[in-house]
Amino acid sequence: AQSVTQPDIHITVSEGASLELRCNYSYGATPYLFWYVQSPGQGLQLLLKYFSGDTLVQGIKGFEAEFKRSQSSFNLRKPSVHWSDAAEYFCAVGATSGTYKYIFGTGTRLKVLA
Amino acid sequence: DTEVTQTPKHLVMGMTNKKSLKCEQHMGHRAMYWYKQKAKKPPELMFVYSYEKLSINESVPSRFSPECPNSSLLNLHLHALQPEDSALYLCASSQTPGQGAYEQYFGPGTRLTVT
């Protein structure tokens, strides 16, 4: 069965420090991969997506993610975190066979220390 | 423009009330979605409309009734809700999947409280 795991429920970093949020997926073929960010009480904003091609993808707000097929991972990174990055981050997988459905990870809550 | 709008932002309703949530997008997307999100949880898919026809119903109770009047609008009619239905209701839209998935664009949500 398809699944998405975000191992870290909470992460705390200092402003200016680098960030890596982990996402592992279980799927038989190469999936479509997404990272979303959600500020409290708000909707989800798409940060970046991977469909095919270059395994390092750039997104908005200075975020990037790397697809590693051998590790079934799609980790999100940012070299220098800003206080405004504090939010909930969701990794999601869409199957390649044509589906409306996402499988979401459980989310990682990021706290940024001033 | 990648905006999905939702109204109202907040809604408080009693268990005997009838209310509706509205969603609108002008990106030309022909797939629209309703999600329910409880605190500290990922969104849960409720319904999917594709080309204005109901494509997926994730076994949602009949007290939730979706409607897609045209390709830009999506409604969720609420009746006789329970307190456990209190949640953030998110609307999303995307291109129709075809041979692959497309990114979904989410609205800001309606915070629903059932008293």
Side-chain angles (χ1 to χ4, degrees):
Chain A
Q2 300 169 39
S3 66
V4 177
T5 302
Q6 292 181 246
D8 305 303
I9 297 175
H10 298 280
I11 283 187
T12 300
V13 300
S14 297
E15 191 170 19
S18 63
L19 172 69
E20 183 170 32
L21 303 182
R22 296 183 290 165
C23 174
N24 293 97
Y25 66 89
S26 173
Y27 184 66
T30 301
Y32 289 2
L33 296 159
F34 309 88
W35 274 101
Y36 284 87
V37 61
Q38 186 177 33
S39 297
Q42 300 296 313
L44 278 70
Q45 182 180 24
L46 179 68
L47 287 175
L48 45 77
K49 62 189 180 188
Y50 175 76
F51 288 174
S52 65
D54 192 346
T55 56
L56 184 64
V57 293
Q58 302 297 320
I60 62 171
K61 303 186 179 196
F63 285 93
E64 66 177 27
E66 186 171 14
F67 170 63
K68 292 186 177 181
R69 184 190 306 274
S70 61
Q71 298 176 21
S72 296
S73 70
F74 188 57
N75 293 348
L76 183 71
R77 301 194 294 247
K78 187 170 185 178
S80 177
V81 170
H82 188 263
W83 64 266
S84 60
D85 293 323
E88 188 87 22
Y89 290 80
F90 291 101
C91 180
V93 168
T96 53
S97 60
T99 179
Y100 296 100
K101 293 187 180 183
Y102 280 177
I103 298 171
F104 281 96
T106 51
T108 297
R109 179 162 295 276
L110 174 66
K111 182 177 180 180
V112 180
L113 300 176
Chain B
D1 182 12
T2 57
E3 187 178 28
V4 176
T5 59
Q6 290 187 244
T7 56
K9 287 193 172 209
H10 302 275
L11 179 62
V12 179
M13 61 185 291
M15 290 189 283
T16 59
N17 290 159
K18 287 185 180 181
K19 297 286 185 182
S20 296
L21 309 185
K22 296 184 186 304
C23 172
E24 189 167 8
Q25 58 88 14
H26 294 287
M27 293 179 276
H29 291 165
R30 302 306 294 273
M32 296 186 75
Y33 309 73
W34 280 115
Y35 286 87
K36 174 183 178 180
Q37 186 180 26
K38 300 287 267 185
K40 302 185 190 301
K41 298 289 188 183
E44 299 174 27
L45 184 64
M46 301 174 71
F47 303 103
V48 180
Y49 272 82
S50 177
Y51 293 98
E52 294 88 69
K53 294 192 188 318
L54 185 63
S55 179
I56 295 175
N57 177 342
E58 292 285 273
S59 303
V60 179
S62 60
R63 58 186 184 269
F64 295 91
S65 175
E67 177 195 22
C68 190
N70 61 55
S71 59
S72 301
L73 293 174
L74 186 66
N75 298 322
L76 186 63
H77 303 297
L78 314 172
H79 174 56
L81 294 192
Q82 303 297 308
E84 60 264 29
D85 297 322
S86 298
L88 183 68
Y89 288 84
L90 295 164
C91 175
S93 72
S94 75
Q95 299 181 55
T96 49
Q99 294 303 308
Y102 289 99
E103 62 271 28
Q104 295 179 21
Y105 293 91
F106 286 80
T110 294
R111 172 70 61 189
L112 174 66
T113 302
V114 182
T115 60

